[in-house]
Amino acid sequence: DVKVTQSSRYLVKRTGEKVFLECVQDMDHENMFWYRQDPGLGLRLIYFSYDVKMKEKGDIPEGYSVSREKKERFSLILESASTNQTSMYLCASSPRGADTQYFGPGTRLTVL
Amino acid sequence: QKEVEQNSGPLSVPEGAIASLNCTYSDRGSQSFFWYRQYSGKSPELIMFIYSNGDKEDGRFTAQLNKASQYVSLLIRDSQPSDSATYLCAVYDATSGTYKYIFGTGTRLKVLA
């Protein structure tokens, strides 16, 4: 069965903290994605990766970085969390090519 | 800027009726089209995907694609209260050579018992 897991369902952090969000997939997918979802704005792509150690900026990469050292794991890093980064963060993966994405359960991050 | 447009709703239909959800997209190079269902507080789950013009049926769900008019729709027959959710349309952008999916903001469906 397809499985994408995220390290936390809920997270509360303080402004200025460094935040790590982790995503793991067990489907041997090449592509992995990080989105944030905000009311009225839909899903916005932050970063994606199509191979180990490869990364591409999405539509809103500012304030974020990513790491993909192993095929199954894709980490999103908030270098210095700010209140405007309070959001639902969704990780997804897909096999190479035009195919479906499978989403993790999401992490609701609150930055105080 | 490539876009996917959906009416935000809410679209309210009575139980047992057909719900019709629509989506338009701006990029003619788009190849793959997806419908996701998202319950409140949960992550999106795939319902249907369609690649070719015409209809594709899966149980109570039918996806319709018209590339000439650049729209894709989702029909839900015999709507149930459990179908109440937000439905996201997504388009795969193959023209740039990357693996980007573009999502609409979703249509909220309410099925009234």
Side-chain angles (χ1 to χ4, degrees), chain A residues 14 25-26 29 32 34 56 78 88 93 97-98 104 108-109:
Chain A
R14 297 235 174 248
Q25 51 95 4
D26 65 359
H29 285 171
M32 296 188 75
W34 274 108
E56 292 282 342
L78 286 65
M88 169 71 93
S93 73
R108 185 163 293 281
L109 173 67

Side-chain angles (χ1 to χ4, degrees), chain B:
Chain B
Q1 179 76 6
K2 294 167 185 173
E3 294 182 340
V4 175
E5 303 272 353
Q6 294 181 258
N7 188 319
S8 61
L11 172 67
S12 295
V13 300
E15 184 175 357
I18 295 175
S20 178
L21 305 163
N22 299 311
C23 170
T24 59
Y25 59 95
S26 62
D27 180 19
R28 285 194 174 273
S30 302
Q31 295 181 327
S32 311
F33 306 86
F34 306 88
W35 282 101
Y36 287 84
R37 177 176 62 200
Q38 186 175 26
Y39 292 112
S40 180
K42 302 293 186 182
S43 62
E45 57 178 319
L46 180 70
I47 299 215
M48 298 277 296
F49 58 88
I50 186 166
Y51 301 140
S52 305
N53 275 329
D55 294 1
K56 179 182 178 183
E57 189 174 315
D58 184 0
R60 295 187 297 114
F61 299 98
T62 299
Q64 299 175 318
L65 175 61
N66 184 324
K67 289 189 177 182
S69 300
Q70 295 176 241
Y71 81 79
V72 57
S73 61
L74 179 70
L75 301 178
I76 306 174
R77 289 182 298 283
D78 188 23
S79 296
Q80 301 297 309
S82 58
D83 294 326
S84 298
T86 296
Y87 290 80
L88 306 176
C89 172
V91 172
Y92 178 66
D93 173 14
T95 57
S96 61
T98 63
Y99 302 93
K100 290 177 67 173
Y101 294 76
I102 302 170
F103 284 83
T105 54
T107 298
R108 191 155 63 97
L109 173 67
K110 296 173 81 171
V111 180
L112 308 171

Side-chain angles (χ1 to χ4, degrees), chain A residues 13-21 46-47 55 61-67 75-82 85 89 109 111:
Chain A
K13 294 292 182 181
R14 297 235 174 248
T15 301
E17 280 192 79
K18 191 168 185 175
V19 181
F20 293 86
L21 303 181
I46 305 171
Y47 267 97
K55 60 184 179 184
E62 297 77 20
Y64 303 95
S65 62
V66 290
S67 172
S75 301
L76 179 70
I77 303 149
L78 286 65
E79 297 291 342
S80 177
S82 63
Q85 292 178 310
Y89 289 87
L109 173 67
V111 182

